[in-house]
Amino acid sequence: MGKKGKKEKKGRGAEKTAAKMEKKVSKRSRKEEEDLEALIAHFQTLDAAKTQIVETPCPPPSPRLHASLSAHPEKDELILFGGEYFNGQKTFMYNELYTYNIRKDAWTRVEIPNPPPRRCAHQAVVLPQGGGQLWIFGGEFASPDGEQFYHYKDLWVLHLATKTWEQVRSSGGPSGRSGHRMVAWKRQLVLFGGFHESTRDYIYYNDVYAFNLDTFTWSRLSPSGAGPTPRSGCQMSVTPQGSIVIYGGYSKQRVKKDVDRGTQHSDMFLLQPEDGREGKWAWTRINPAGAKPTPRSGFAVAVTPNHQTLLFGGVCDEEEEESLEGDFLNDLHFYDAAKNRWFAGQLKGSKSEKRKRRRGKTAEPGSADKQECGGAGAQGPLEVVREVVTEDGTVVTIRQTLAAPGSAGRPPSDEEDSPDNAGDPVVGPSPRSNAMLAVKHGRLYLYGGMFEAGDRQVTLGDLYCLDLHKMQEWTALVEMDPGTQEWLEETDSEEDSSEGESAEGGDEDEDSGGEAGGALSGEA
């Protein structure tokens, strides 16, 4: 009894500490959020001038990260909303809505009256009813100097059939946050975690909320059992068995004044409804077998046609006392909930390349602006290092880790395992964090994200596609050369630039976006 009582007391103490921290963060951030509300209101005034639905064919969207990419439930389309971009001096935020027609390989910008305010690191969930709905909760808005943050706690639905935005107002929902995760579970939206940051403080969450899609009401769930510690940027997906799986994520703690220590979580949990108990849930920690992903943050997640959860890329941070170095990744991993097992997503390479090798020919080298990889044994990953010289003379080094050829989650066949195929080149997305993923018709689509080269942040605007049935090779649908991207060094005069200029910078004619505080460490 003594031990149990001690445990309960400790649990209550942790809750008290979290409540105190939330109060402290809320108090300190209230003033800066009030300042930002004026800028958000200015943007909304610009949006209010749009009174008609306007659909305009356009080139691919500008580079960005922390947007949402969703597959339309009925049409052969992907839906891109929001996001951010940082050009070295200014933060730009978006609330643009784009659609990508898969069959026509064509982008359209869709302007709809009264959209949600500009944001990044929100969550989007697509539902099939009523011709399709896109539900969006939360996210953050950063000031032009990237020093202040406003965290949203609003819930929106885009009715895809009528192309109308609607804000759904309901009390009792989650507090303002970004980096949270949200999934559709039966007739509910279930939300977990996230973080809230002000200039001086921050708090991470591990609370769970459910939004009832029939009654339009929020409820806070209180699952039994030991669940995940507070975190943001985790994997959250629904299993075929009706449970919700949580993997990984990122959090940081203050170890001393002005020094924070980040944690890249690699634990895994199931959130399950308890049998016969309406609204009652339970946490269970699980230890899957197989080829687990290495610890990382900022990875992207999607669900495959056979209900496996797919994880791509991310960044492994190496923290020193005063610095943060990131090793960016571009590997694929699959989690099979039925088997409770991880599989490495290895690519076979294209059949044409295999035929060339069987004839004793070597593949032609790729063009200068595409990644290449040399021949290597099929036992381990391949690392490609490529240098790009930018317009201002800066040399950007891109490191790319390529999985060894083989098939995803299955032993290679005799043909795949032959020496002729051991060195097949596999070209694909460069290493990155905070990219966007979506699956449609058994194909995985990857858009954007970012990586760092020294003090420079490179935001990507490329689009890749991978056939998940064949698992042969990535196809580049939109390519970009990171070396051509504008990067402005910080100057003392940047504070003098007006907020009005920054506000206009996020509009359709500007090839920029926004970068918020949590992006570099992959937490959002």
Side-chain angles (χ1 to χ4, degrees):
M1 287 296 289
K3 275 187 182 175
K4 189 180 176 190
K6 207 171 184 180
K7 236 182 205 178
E8 287 174 352
K9 197 171 180 183
K10 190 179 177 185
R12 284 197 295 272
E15 283 176 18
K16 266 188 181 176
T17 304
K20 275 185 186 173
M21 177 57 77
E22 174 141 29
K23 196 172 180 183
K24 187 179 173 188
V25 171
S26 177
K27 190 175 179 183
R28 288 189 171 181
S29 65
R30 201 172 296 135
K31 175 67 172 71
E32 64 190 54
E33 291 199 342
E34 284 172 3
D35 294 341
L36 288 182
E37 279 174 359
L39 186 54
I40 293 168
H42 168 68
F43 284 135
Q44 286 183 289
T45 302
L46 297 178
D47 289 331
K50 299 166 184 174
T51 56
Q52 291 182 316
I53 299 168
V54 180
E55 299 184 56
T56 312
C58 63
S62 58
R64 62 193 67 195
L65 66 155
H66 285 154
S68 56
L69 185 67
S70 310
H72 195 296
E74 293 186 356
K75 297 182 180 179
D76 293 328
E77 284 183 355
L78 304 179
I79 304 161
L80 181 72
F81 174 76
E84 52 173 321
Y85 175 83
F86 181 56
N87 69 0
Q89 286 185 2
K90 285 184 184 177
T91 292
F92 298 85
M93 310 297 295
Y94 287 142
N95 65 346
E96 299 168 332
L97 182 73
Y98 291 93
T99 60
Y100 173 71
N101 187 301
I102 292 168
R103 298 205 182 281
K104 295 180 181 176
D105 184 28
W107 288 93
T108 301
R109 178 166 176 177
V110 186
E111 296 178 74
I112 300 173
N114 304 308
R118 302 172 184 217
R119 69 190 63 206
C120 67
H122 54 280
Q123 276 289 277
V125 170
V126 168
L127 299 174
Q129 59 255 31
Q133 297 175 345
L134 179 74
W135 288 82
I136 286 172
F137 177 84
E140 74 185 42
F141 177 91
S143 60
D145 62 8
E147 296 293 326
Q148 293 180 302
F149 312 103
Y150 181 93
H151 295 265
Y152 295 103
K153 57 179 179 180
D154 51 354
L155 181 66
W156 293 76
V157 57
L158 172 61
H159 300 280
L160 297 172
T162 57
K163 293 186 173 64
T164 52
W165 282 108
E166 176 191 356
Q167 184 173 3
V168 179
R169 301 179 189 274
S170 178
S171 60
S175 55
R177 63 189 65 195
S178 55
H180 51 287
R181 294 295 179 257
M182 186 170 75
V183 295
W185 184 87
K186 295 186 178 178
R187 293 289 300 154
Q188 298 181 76
L189 300 175
V190 180
L191 184 146
F192 168 81
F195 75 104
H196 185 291
E197 183 174 12
S198 67
T199 307
R200 289 171 289 182
D201 288 305
Y202 52 82
I203 181 172
Y204 285 79
Y205 300 104
N206 64 345
D207 47 4
V208 187
Y209 283 83
F211 180 77
N212 188 303
L213 292 161
D214 295 317
T215 62
F216 277 28
T217 54
W218 283 105
S219 59
R220 180 168 179 171
L221 306 182
S222 301
S224 60
T229 54
R231 63 192 62 192
S232 71
C234 62
Q235 167 192 315
M236 185 182 190
S237 56
V238 179
T239 72
Q241 297 80 21
S243 302
I244 294 172
V245 66
I246 300 284
Y247 166 76
Y250 177 90
S251 65
K252 62 184 179 183
Q253 290 180 309
R254 187 142 291 158
V255 291
K256 58 184 181 182
K257 191 179 179 187
D258 298 327
V259 178
D260 300 317
R261 176 70 62 192
T263 300
Q264 295 170 121
H265 301 279
S266 56
D267 46 3
M268 202 160 190
F269 297 83
L270 278 183
L271 179 61
Q272 298 168 296
E274 292 188 344
D275 289 338
R277 303 185 66 191
E278 187 68 30
K280 297 293 181 182
W281 295 73
W283 285 113
T284 307
R285 182 163 181 165
I286 56 174
N287 293 298
K292 301 173 187 175
T294 54
R296 66 191 66 197
S297 57
F299 51 78
V301 172
V303 178
T304 69
N306 59 350
H307 303 291
Q308 292 183 343
T309 302
L310 186 153
L311 182 153
F312 173 86
V315 57
C316 179
D317 289 335
E318 296 172 15
E319 293 193 38
E320 300 295 334
E321 187 85 354
E322 298 294 330
S323 67
L324 180 68
E325 291 290 326
D327 182 17
F328 289 81
L329 306 163
N330 65 343
D331 49 352
L332 275 173
H333 295 267
F334 293 84
Y335 173 68
D336 188 323
K339 297 176 181 174
N340 190 27
R341 188 177 187 88
W342 283 100
F343 295 91
Q346 296 175 326
L347 305 185
K348 301 174 188 177
S350 70
K351 288 182 179 177
S352 61
E353 290 296 337
K354 288 177 184 175
R355 280 197 294 271
K356 283 180 184 177
R357 275 174 166 60
R358 281 202 293 273
R359 291 184 192 128
K361 295 180 182 178
T362 55
E364 294 176 12
S367 60
D369 64 340
K370 292 182 180 179
Q371 267 88 25
E372 300 175 0
C373 70
Q379 300 302 313
L382 310 172
E383 183 175 74
V384 184
V385 179
R386 182 166 70 94
E387 291 188 346
V388 176
V389 181
T390 64
E391 290 174 345
D392 62 2
T394 304
V395 178
V396 178
T397 302
I398 303 173
R399 291 181 182 274
Q400 180 171 7
T401 304
L402 300 174
S407 79
R410 299 187 303 274
S413 67
D414 292 340
E415 180 183 319
E416 288 162 3
D417 205 24
S418 67
D420 287 340
N421 300 312
D424 282 355
V426 182
V427 176
S430 60
R432 65 192 67 198
S433 69
N434 306 311
M436 287 64 73
L437 286 186
V439 175
K440 184 72 177 177
H441 298 320
R443 294 176 183 269
L444 173 67
Y445 293 87
L446 181 144
Y447 173 79
M450 60 80 72
F451 68 91
E452 293 166 352
D455 293 333
R456 177 178 181 143
Q457 177 184 313
V458 180
T459 306
L460 299 162
D462 46 8
L463 177 68
Y464 283 85
C465 175
L466 174 66
D467 188 320
L468 294 171
H469 298 299
K470 296 178 181 176
M471 287 298 290
Q472 288 181 348
E473 60 181 345
W474 287 96
T475 302
L477 301 173
V478 177
E479 296 184 83
M480 70 165 285
D481 182 355
T484 62
Q485 190 169 101
E486 176 188 58
W487 182 256
L488 305 176
E489 297 298 328
E490 288 187 70
T491 65
D492 294 332
S493 62
E494 65 183 277
E495 284 124 14
D496 300 334
S497 61
S498 71
E499 288 184 345
E501 287 177 323
S502 298
E504 296 300 326
D507 215 333
E508 60 188 286
D509 296 324
E510 191 74 15
D511 196 22
S512 312
E515 154 63 19
L520 297 187
S521 54
E523 59 194 306

